[in-house]
Amino acid sequence: MARIVAVTACPTGIAHTFMAAEALTRAAQSAGHDIHVEAQGAAGAGTPLSAADIARADVVILAADTHVNRDRFAGKRVVDARTADAIRDAAGVLNRALGEATPVAAPTSAPSSGSLRIVGITACPTGIAHTFMAAEGLENGAKALGHHVRVETQGSVGAGNALTPEEVANADLVIIAADTNVDLSRFAGKRVYQTGTKPAIHNGQQLVQTALAEAKPHGATPTYADAIQDAKAARPGVGGIYKDLMTGVSHMLPLVVAGGLLIALAFAIGSFQYGDQGIFIYDEKYAGTLGYNLFQIGAKGAFGLFVPVLAGYIAYSIADRPGLAPGLVGGFLAGTTGSGFLGGIAAGFIAGYLVKWLNRSIRLPRTLEGLKPTLLLPLLGTLGVGLLMIYVVGTPVAAALKGMTAWLQGLGQSSAGLLGAVLGGMMAFDMGGPINKAAYTFSTGLLGNNVYGPIAATMAAGMTPPLAIALATTLFKNRFTPDEREAGKAAAVLGISFITEGAIPFAARDPLRVIPAMVAGSALAGAISMAAGCQLRAPHGGIFVMFIPNAVTHVGMYAVAIIAGTILSTVLLGVLKKPLVSATPAPVASPDTTPNAVD
């Protein structure tokens, strides 16, 4: 009797995967062999192979039409086959495996004391600043320790510097520095360490050292102690909820930005064509004009999709692909019930955790396992979240959103200024982190309810920190190193483009002085913007949006808000940061100089 382990997989992870697994199981049992089959389906690996299963195995069968990582089978006799071969002639595949299998060479790796091959992935919700700053920090940290490194950046325009299958196969260590969920399926069997972007930005060298000490094989059966730690980490907590929310926000943002800019462009064209009446370009009397059509694309097209996409990808982050459809439907129902982006967020989390629970709770025979991701989970998940949105969640959340919208629209100058100060301070507190993203997500979500004041305040406040850094490095040169003064020039460009993260390197080096100065200036900018009644119809674009007619109301006061916040932060930086001590050594006294001589 032979001990056999097998892996089956197909591109869709449904029919062929489970049919091949069942055929191999029956053929092996008929021949008197012991077999354990891992079916890599659409809902994840079914009956995964443990390290003990692999260690005891006499032969490994890989019946797959997609790439399967072989590292965990190092030293074992392996035979490859297609799923169709296993389905049609499972006995023949078994005979071939027992007679022709060849050992898999153990992956070459550098000694622990020498140079290692490290691959990494960095990603953030917007896919802009944090993504590339984390990549740079990780690369510099690994190189400083003498290791070879390649980092894939999952940015706003797709994967940059994408890792090849060969690089993944040869890697000794995988580091994931991401604030959104990253697909780890290609790293099965590899030592993987996961963290956020901040550790890579602040101290890439320390991150690499921590990863070397704490990385665990992905997909391997954990020890008892590891299982306890993983169970604690898997509890729904602030970190997990934030990452799920940011996954939704990162997919939503392109729709919000595109829709907002198209609406702003529609108003601009309307103003050129119809003067002061151009702001009503959405009226039916302008139907057929270019401005009207652009407004429809932005408001009905892009803005109509952003809540379903937000909900869908929150659910996807929690439950993987089976959660996507229920999340999208729940987000759509949030729009029909009037619960807006708040309802969309609720729908995303409800759909995600409902589908995740259903996936764990429903047990089917192996032959019917393919029905779960294609039929049962989408059907039951969509039914559950749909009924909950219509009968339970939609009405109270819609009432809360309506009340909040009315309150925001009716704010007086003092109350509006206070709200603007709070939002502004949040934008600068962690500059792209959870608090910053909370303020931006709140303000962006209100665009769907025609509330444009908060987003104006958050953009003005988000521009202030890097602009203040740029100005401070020019006016107070003795407070900054030559490298910082050079970086200050780049911060100016990032500031006018509304990329708050341009100030992060300075805050990381001197947080106790830089962050309070940034928060004060951003709070002032947000307060002035809200108190002056400034409104912004495009959620991004920085200073360039101000040149589009009707995109920003009270544009003069909006400029004043940005300038005032920048000046306040600049002055505070000059006061709080002390002049740098010159590194030039003091002159050494000559032998004939008397001890009491004074220069």
Side-chain angles (χ1 to χ4, degrees):
M1 180 185 75
R3 289 182 294 271
I4 304 169
V5 295
V7 176
T8 62
C10 68
T12 60
I14 306 174
H16 277 61
T17 298
F18 296 102
M19 291 168 67
E22 184 65 20
L24 288 172
T25 300
R26 289 183 177 180
Q29 290 173 347
S30 298
H33 300 306
D34 178 48
I35 188 169
H36 190 152
V37 184
E38 174 181 300
Q40 295 187 356
T47 60
L49 300 174
S50 68
D53 292 330
I54 297 171
R56 288 194 301 265
D58 301 311
V59 67
V60 179
I61 299 174
L62 301 182
D65 303 322
T66 60
H67 172 73
V68 174
N69 190 287
R70 297 165 173 262
D71 288 354
R72 54 179 167 160
F73 306 121
K76 291 293 178 179
R77 296 168 58 234
V78 174
V79 68
D80 292 290
R82 297 179 304 164
T83 56
D85 297 333
I87 294 169
R88 295 178 185 138
D89 186 15
V93 172
L94 287 173
N95 292 333
R96 182 158 58 91
L98 294 172
E100 301 177 8
T102 57
V104 173
T108 58
S109 59
S112 59
S113 59
S115 175
L116 298 177
R117 287 180 292 273
I118 299 174
V119 297
I121 294 178
T122 61
C124 69
T126 57
I128 307 176
H130 275 62
T131 297
F132 299 99
M133 292 166 68
E136 183 180 1
L138 182 56
E139 288 173 349
N140 292 340
K143 290 176 181 177
L145 294 171
H147 303 305
H148 299 286
V149 63
R150 274 262 293 155
V151 181
E152 174 180 305
T153 54
Q154 295 190 356
S156 56
V157 293
N161 199 31
L163 300 173
T164 66
E166 292 76 16
E167 289 170 332
V168 173
N170 294 327
D172 302 301
L173 176 67
V174 180
I175 299 177
I176 309 296
D179 298 325
T180 61
N181 278 354
V182 172
D183 182 12
L184 301 180
S185 58
R186 53 178 158 163
F187 304 121
K190 291 292 180 183
R191 295 182 66 233
V192 176
Y193 180 78
Q194 297 187 70
T195 185
T197 55
K198 282 191 175 181
I201 294 171
H202 293 162
N203 193 335
Q205 190 168 330
Q206 179 61 48
L207 170 59
V208 173
Q209 292 172 331
T210 303
L212 288 170
E214 300 181 9
K216 300 173 186 175
H218 178 62
T221 302
T223 64
Y224 179 69
D226 290 339
I228 294 175
Q229 292 181 352
D230 292 342
K232 291 180 179 179
R235 293 174 183 168
V238 176
I241 290 174
Y242 169 72
K243 182 169 284 191
D244 297 331
L245 177 62
M246 288 302 104
T247 299
V249 170
S250 67
H251 287 86
M252 173 197 79
L253 276 181
L255 291 168
V256 177
V257 172
L261 291 173
L262 284 170
I263 291 171
L265 189 58
F267 286 128
I269 293 174
S271 298
F272 286 130
Q273 289 182 312
Y274 306 107
D276 292 341
Q277 295 301 306
I279 197 165
F280 302 108
I281 195 66
Y282 51 82
D283 283 350
E284 288 298 323
K285 66 180 180 179
Y286 297 110
T289 65
L290 178 60
Y292 177 89
N293 290 332
L294 288 177
F295 184 89
Q296 296 301 309
I297 296 171
K300 302 291 179 63
F303 271 24
L305 285 173
F306 88 73
V307 173
V309 168
L310 170 66
Y313 279 95
I314 289 174
Y316 175 84
S317 177
I318 297 169
D320 214 333
R321 281 185 292 176
L324 184 58
L328 289 169
V329 173
F332 177 80
L333 292 174
T336 62
T337 58
S339 53
F341 83 100
L342 291 179
I345 293 172
F349 282 105
I350 291 171
Y353 286 114
L354 175 61
V355 171
K356 190 173 183 178
W357 175 78
L358 288 170
N359 190 32
R360 290 177 175 175
S361 302
I362 298 174
R363 294 286 182 265
L364 296 175
R366 187 186 299 274
T367 52
L368 300 177
E369 192 71 21
L371 293 176
K372 280 174 64 175
T374 56
L375 176 62
L376 295 179
L377 296 181
L379 173 62
L380 297 177
T382 301
L383 176 65
V385 73
L387 293 175
L388 286 171
M389 288 301 297
I390 292 173
Y391 290 109
V392 180
V393 179
T395 301
V397 174
L401 183 64
K402 184 177 180 180
M404 183 174 65
T405 301
W407 175 72
L408 289 169
Q409 291 174 335
L411 285 176
Q413 282 191 339
S414 58
S415 299
L418 179 60
L419 176 61
V422 172
L423 291 173
M426 291 172 68
M427 288 297 291
F429 184 78
D430 56 358
M431 289 171 274
I435 296 175
N436 170 286
K437 287 296 184 291
Y440 185 72
T441 302
F442 168 79
S443 304
T444 302
L446 290 172
L447 290 174
N449 295 82
N450 300 320
V451 178
Y452 303 107
I455 190 62
T458 54
M459 190 167 86
M463 294 167 64
T464 298
L467 289 175
I469 289 292
L471 186 57
T473 54
T474 302
L475 298 180
F476 307 109
K477 294 183 178 181
N478 63 341
R479 268 78 165 172
F480 300 92
T481 66
D483 288 342
E484 288 176 329
R485 293 198 295 271
E486 190 65 28
K489 299 174 183 177
V493 178
L494 296 174
I496 63 174
S497 304
F498 182 35
I499 300 178
T500 315
E501 289 89 342
I504 286 179
F506 298 85
R509 292 189 186 101
D510 192 5
L512 296 181
R513 294 182 177 89
V514 173
I515 291 178
M518 299 295 101
V519 169
S522 291
L524 177 62
I528 294 175
S529 174
M530 284 288 290
C534 299
Q535 295 186 342
L536 175 66
R537 296 183 180 273
H540 217 290
I543 197 174
F544 307 105
V545 178
M546 297 171 63
F547 299 103
I548 300 177
N550 296 320
V552 183
T553 62
H554 306 298
V555 66
M557 285 303 299
Y558 196 61
V560 168
I562 297 171
I563 293 170
T566 300
I567 291 175
L568 176 59
S569 289
T570 302
V571 171
L572 289 175
L573 283 172
V575 172
L576 296 175
K577 287 183 71 70
K578 303 303 179 185
L580 299 178
V581 177
S582 174
T584 305
V588 179
S590 59
D592 58 349
T593 304
T594 60
N596 295 325
V598 179
D599 291 338

